[in-house]
Amino acid sequence: MSFDYSRLTATCAVDSPDKATTLPPEAYGSDELYAAEVDRIFKHGWVPLCRVEQVPTPGSYYSIDILGTPLVVTRDRHSEIRVLSRNCSHRWMEVCSGAGEANVLQCPYHLWSFGLDGHLAGAPEMKKSSGFDRNDYPLKKFRHEVWKGFVLVNFDGQAESLASQYAALDPIVDPYDLENYQTVEQTDWGVCDWDWKIMVDNFMECYHHMGPHRGSLEDRFPASLSYTGEVGDHFTTMWSQQVAGYPSDPPFLSPGAETLTAHHKDKSLIFIGYPLLQIAMGPAYMYWLKTLPLGAGKIELQLDICMSPAALAAPGLEERRSQLVKTICDIHREDIDACTAVQRAVRSGVTSTGRLSHLERPLWEFYRYLGRELGIINPTSTLASTG
């Protein structure tokens, strides 16, 4: 059955957050809609792959599959970061997997080898192939940019630069020294049976603190104190405010950079750089969801946890690191249960479109973004500060 865009259009076209509604349930399981999202959103936009510290030195590489495309992020001998295809340019076997260090990436099939800048360095027994020129067969390169320590890829090569898209986001995150946070734990949650949009919905509101997180977050970071911050066509921010009287202590709120003001020290900043860069951070920590869409209603999920330079330099690092990792993973398990239940409900076919709370304004912003990118509502600038 063909996807009916009319109800999706109605949601995305709502012109005020006061009237915001949920997406229609069928939007979370339509193969037709997912194909449109791949073409118009994921391939046209910027998709996060890793942090620069995950390719720390010349010769480092980091493998990741996204949208069915095997990629490798490398740092070549000149310390330049590249995003390359992992498929050999001969007969397409993958030239590497996982992460590590190497002088060349060598295909295990016919032993063609490639430099970490993608050039074909060696091709055994090809001298008798008339007209063969190694320069004609490098690994395919993909356009990439680095923002605040994140490596992102743009598949179609046509996206507006990240510097332009996130210009209004820079002053919000700059006080944290985000580009110098360091990854301290990578966690893999495997294949998850919910849609990528459910992941964004859950991540970008604290309303559910009073439900799934009532025993972990609600007392200290209650839903009622959360609020939407500055928004733009390519990002939305939200703040999770701590109840007065709690100390600004580890693992979330200290220690932090000297550039942070009192405004930052009792809050967590949660934001999304559309479509998939989902970050929660505070003075001492940052984690981000590496959401890898696999199809309608299915993703692969990784969660990488980072610590701030100040937190890394303070005494008792291992104890604080362990506490941070355990706390974030415990909270994430609560989110997994919620996302699983929501996808199960929308698959039942008995759900209908609902209303959103004022605490869910970031979802309204997200749906407006979807509508613009899918071409079902008129593109208009949304830059605003809601405080």
Side-chain angles (χ1 to χ4, degrees):
M1 182 181 296
S2 178
F3 181 73
D4 181 359
Y5 278 89
S6 60
R7 297 211 306 160
L8 178 62
T9 301
T11 292
C12 297
V14 173
D15 60 4
S16 167
D18 297 336
K19 303 174 183 176
T21 69
T22 65
L23 293 178
E26 60 269 21
Y28 297 101
S30 165
D31 292 334
E32 180 182 338
L33 177 59
Y34 177 74
E37 291 166 349
V38 169
D39 288 341
R40 302 177 191 177
I41 295 177
F42 301 137
K43 289 187 177 179
H44 184 63
W46 289 100
V47 176
L49 301 177
C50 66
R51 293 275 299 172
V52 293
E53 67 264 20
Q54 292 172 287
V55 283
T57 57
S60 301
Y61 65 90
Y62 176 89
S63 303
I64 185 170
D65 292 358
I66 181 73
L67 304 178
T69 304
L71 299 176
V72 59
V73 182
T74 67
R75 193 181 287 269
D76 69 19
R77 62 189 179 93
H78 300 293
S79 205
E80 293 291 326
I81 289 177
R82 314 276 183 164
V83 176
L84 307 170
S85 169
R86 291 208 314 274
N87 296 113
C88 179
S89 54
H90 174 222
R91 280 175 53 198
W92 321 301
M93 180 77 81
E94 291 183 18
V95 299
C96 64
S97 61
E101 295 186 1
N103 293 322
V104 294
L105 304 176
Q106 187 173 64
C107 176
Y109 202 2
H110 301 94
L111 304 188
W112 284 31
S113 58
F114 300 84
L116 273 77
D117 62 357
H119 81 277
L120 178 58
E125 300 297 335
M126 291 298 293
K127 293 180 180 179
K128 295 181 181 180
S129 297
S130 177
F132 176 75
D133 185 339
R134 287 187 301 177
N135 294 323
D136 294 336
Y137 297 93
L139 296 176
K140 181 178 179 179
K141 295 181 176 67
F142 292 87
R143 181 188 176 199
H144 79 280
E145 290 188 20
V146 175
W147 180 82
K148 306 301 181 188
F150 291 92
V151 181
L152 296 93
V153 67
N154 169 228
F155 282 98
D156 72 4
Q158 302 300 311
E160 180 185 1
S161 71
L162 278 174
S164 176
Q165 289 190 7
Y166 293 172
L169 186 55
D170 287 344
I172 301 170
V173 303
D174 280 346
Y176 289 92
D177 195 19
L178 176 57
E179 57 265 41
N180 289 314
Y181 280 48
Q182 295 291 310
T183 302
V184 297
E185 188 78 12
Q186 301 174 63
T187 65
D188 188 346
W189 301 80
V191 175
C192 302
D193 287 326
W194 59 78
D195 195 73
W196 73 277
K197 298 184 292 299
I198 283 179
M199 193 79 266
V200 175
D201 286 350
N202 182 82
F203 189 77
M204 285 306 300
E205 53 93 348
C206 293
Y207 189 19
H208 72 284
H209 282 197
M210 63 180 62
H213 302 317
R214 60 188 175 275
S216 55
L217 288 173
E218 174 65 11
D219 285 350
R220 186 165 182 170
F221 294 94
S224 61
L225 294 185
S226 65
Y227 59 93
T228 306
E230 193 166 21
V231 302
D233 286 344
H234 300 284
F235 69 89
T236 294
T237 66
M238 183 182 66
W239 296 91
S240 180
Q241 170 75 52
Q242 181 177 248
V243 171
Y246 275 97
S248 296
D249 58 4
F252 294 143
L253 299 178
S254 72
E258 293 182 358
T259 49
L260 294 172
T261 68
H263 169 76
H264 303 94
K265 292 182 179 179
D266 61 353
K267 299 179 181 71
S268 287
L269 171 62
I270 300 166
F271 66 92
I272 181 169
Y274 295 128
L276 291 173
L277 183 60
Q278 300 165 81
I279 297 173
M281 64 181 299
Y285 83 103
M286 182 266 287
Y287 73 85
W288 65 291
L289 295 182
K290 196 177 299 182
T291 303
L292 308 173
L294 298 177
K298 190 177 292 291
I299 62 171
E300 184 177 351
L301 184 62
Q302 299 170 26
L303 187 156
D304 287 1
I305 300 169
C306 306
M307 295 180 74
S308 70
L312 290 165
L317 172 60
E318 184 52 37
E319 180 181 353
R320 287 183 291 104
R321 190 200 74 85
S322 297
Q323 181 187 9
L324 176 66
V325 170
K326 181 181 185 304
T327 300
I328 289 174
C329 288
D330 286 348
I331 291 168
H332 185 60
R333 289 186 186 94
E334 296 168 349
D335 286 322
I336 281 180
D337 291 342
C339 292
T340 301
V342 170
Q343 186 72 49
R344 185 168 60 245
V346 300
R347 283 183 176 139
S348 72
V350 299
T351 52
S352 59
T353 302
R355 286 295 302 274
L356 295 181
S357 162
H358 72 282
L359 298 176
E360 297 170 290
R361 172 167 178 163
L363 276 63
W364 174 77
E365 301 285 356
F366 173 46
Y367 302 157
R368 298 281 288 176
Y369 161 80
L370 289 177
R372 293 192 301 272
E373 294 302 302
L374 291 170
I376 58 177
I377 66 171
N378 293 327
T380 56
S381 178
T382 60
L383 187 60
S385 179
T386 64

